[in-house]
Amino acid sequence: MTAPAGRAVSVPVRIHNFDYAAADIRLHLTPPAGWVATGSWPNLMIHLPPDGEATYLVTVTPPAAAAAGDHADIELLAESTRLAGGAFRHRAILHPTVGAPAPAPRISVHATALYSDGLPPLFWIEAGADAFYRVEVSDRSDFTQVNFSSGSRPIPAGVDAFALPSAAWRRLVTPPTRQLYYRLRTAPDATWAVVHESAVASLTLSPAWPPAGPEITALHGLSPAAPAQPFSVAPAFRVHTMPNFYYAVEVATSEELFDDERLSCNEHNFFSSWFGSSVVPARRLRSDSGHAIYHLPEPAWDRLKQEFIDGRAQQLHYIVRQAGVPSQLFGTIHSSTHASIT
C-alpha cells in the first residue's frame, strides 16, 4: 500500500467472528508518531453475529514532510469482549509506504490461493482518476468468456473493496476449477466511452480440504498384539480436516447412535470429544494444519470396552465431524463416512 505524503489512502479490512456466539468486537488502531490512521467503523465497538463478518476501510495519512520510501507499521487489534480478559484477539499489521499512486487502474485480491468451499475472494480496487469500475472474472486467461461481471459501479474516491457474491463464487467453483483470472476495467464517466483496463491476474483454487470431506483412520484395533490384553489399550485415530476448522471425534457401538438413535446414547455405548462425559471434560478441538492424532480418553474407554468384553458389541464405529463454527458441527454434511474396527 502506497500513500502520497500528507494525503490519505485507504485499505479494506474484513473482520470475521469465528465464534459460535454473537460477540462485541473492540477495534484498536495504533499508528506511529506523525502518522494518522482511522477506521470506518462507527464506534470503538462493533457487534457481529455467530460466523458473521463486516468489511471496513482503514484510512492512513503519512506526515506531510515524509520522503518517498518512508514506511510505517500500523497495528490493528480486534478483540472479542464476550469472554472475560478478551480471550479471542487477532492482530494485523499494515505496512504503508510513502510514494506516488499508480497511474493505471489496479486490482488485487486478499489471497493468491483460496479453498473452493471457503469464503469468496475480496478484491481491492484502485481506479486512479476514473469514477466507475467493473470487476470481471473468467476461467480463461484471454477473457474470451467472462464468467462473472460486477456491472458498472461508481467509485468517487478512486478506491473500493469488492467482495465477490457468494452465489457467483459457487457457480465459478462448480464444477471444480483450479485457476481463475480477474481484471479491472474503469471509465471516467457512466457512458463508458473511454475504458481503461488493468493487467490480468490469477488466483489458484484448492479443492475442498480434504477433497472428499473430513477423514478419520484408526491407528490400531480393539485387540492389540500380544502380550497386551484385549481391550487394554484405548483406540487412537488420525484425523484430517479443514485447517483452522473445529472438529469432533465420536465413537459408538452402533452406527445409528451417531444420528438416528441419538437419544439412546449413554456412556457405555457412545462417546463424543465435543460433549465429553461425566468423567471426561468436553474438548473443543481445532487444528491449525488440519492434521491431528486423537486418543480416546482412558476413562471413556473403560466404560465402552465392557460392552465388548461382555459380548454385547462386536464393532466400534467412529466418525469425525468438522465445521467452521461450533454451532454447525451437528446435523452437517461435513462428516466422514462411518467406519469401524473390530
Side-chain angles (χ1 to χ4, degrees):
M1 175 174 68
T2 60
R7 296 179 58 187
V9 65
S10 298
V11 61
V13 175
R14 180 155 58 182
I15 310 295
H16 193 99
N17 177 22
F18 286 100
D19 202 352
Y20 65 91
D24 290 316
I25 311 295
R26 182 182 291 115
L27 300 175
H28 298 279
L29 271 173
T30 308
W35 290 69
V36 177
T38 59
S40 66
W41 44 89
N43 302 294
L44 177 66
M45 197 90 69
I46 63 171
H47 181 81
L48 290 178
D51 201 34
E53 67 175 36
T55 300
Y56 297 99
L57 292 179
V58 173
T59 301
V60 176
T61 306
D70 286 354
H71 62 276
D73 288 344
I74 296 177
E75 180 187 90
L76 172 61
L77 173 65
E79 184 179 43
S80 171
T81 62
R82 191 177 70 81
L83 297 180
F88 297 96
R89 58 172 61 90
H90 183 76
R91 287 179 172 83
I93 304 297
L94 309 179
H95 301 280
T97 301
V98 177
R106 295 197 305 177
I107 181 171
S108 55
V109 71
H110 76 290
T112 56
L114 296 168
Y115 288 111
S116 60
D117 64 346
L119 294 172
L122 175 69
F123 294 104
W124 175 237
I125 311 299
E126 296 177 83
D130 288 341
F132 291 83
Y133 76 90
R134 179 185 292 125
V135 174
E136 295 182 343
V137 182
S138 175
D139 57 4
R140 301 172 182 269
S141 59
D142 58 6
F143 277 81
T144 53
Q145 174 177 304
V146 176
N147 302 97
F148 171 81
S149 173
S150 66
S152 180
R153 299 173 65 90
I155 185 169
V159 295
D160 195 15
F162 176 76
L164 193 69
S166 297
W169 178 239
R170 288 193 294 269
R171 289 197 305 271
L172 287 166
V173 298
T174 306
T177 304
R178 292 300 180 90
Q179 201 81 19
L180 285 175
Y181 303 89
Y182 59 93
R183 69 183 180 187
L184 174 68
R185 309 189 83 193
T186 63
D189 54 54
T191 67
W192 285 83
V194 176
V195 177
H196 302 116
E197 193 172 289
S198 73
V200 173
S202 67
L203 56 88
T204 300
L205 298 181
S206 298
W209 187 262
E215 299 170 352
I216 183 170
T217 305
L219 296 181
H220 55 71
L222 302 185
S223 300
Q229 294 296 314
F231 313 109
S232 61
V233 180
F237 304 93
R238 179 180 291 111
V239 175
H240 191 188
T241 64
M242 280 279 287
N244 294 314
F245 266 43
Y246 289 95
Y247 68 92
V249 175
E250 296 185 343
V251 297
T253 58
S254 170
E255 287 186 47
E256 289 75 18
L257 294 172
F258 292 128
D259 295 298
D260 297 339
E261 299 293 330
R262 196 82 175 183
L263 296 179
S264 301
C265 292
N266 59 59
E267 294 189 354
H268 298 281
N269 61 23
F270 176 84
F271 178 76
S272 167
S273 64
W274 196 257
F275 296 110
S277 68
S278 63
V279 292
V280 180
R283 291 183 63 193
R284 300 230 157 172
L285 301 173
R286 192 168 179 171
S287 169
D288 292 339
S289 65
H291 296 268
I293 301 295
Y294 179 77
H295 295 269
L296 194 68
E298 293 285 351
W301 179 235
D302 287 341
R303 284 157 171 73
L304 285 164
K305 70 182 181 183
Q306 197 63 41
E307 297 294 293
F308 297 91
I309 294 173
D310 295 343
R312 290 187 294 271
Q314 286 73 46
Q315 291 183 313
L316 182 71
H317 302 267
Y318 54 91
I319 65 170
V320 60
R321 304 178 189 265
Q322 73 170 22
V325 293
S327 60
Q328 297 174 352
L329 265 178
F330 300 95
T332 173
I333 61 171
H334 292 290
S335 298
S336 66
T337 55
H338 296 166
S340 62
I341 49 179
T342 57

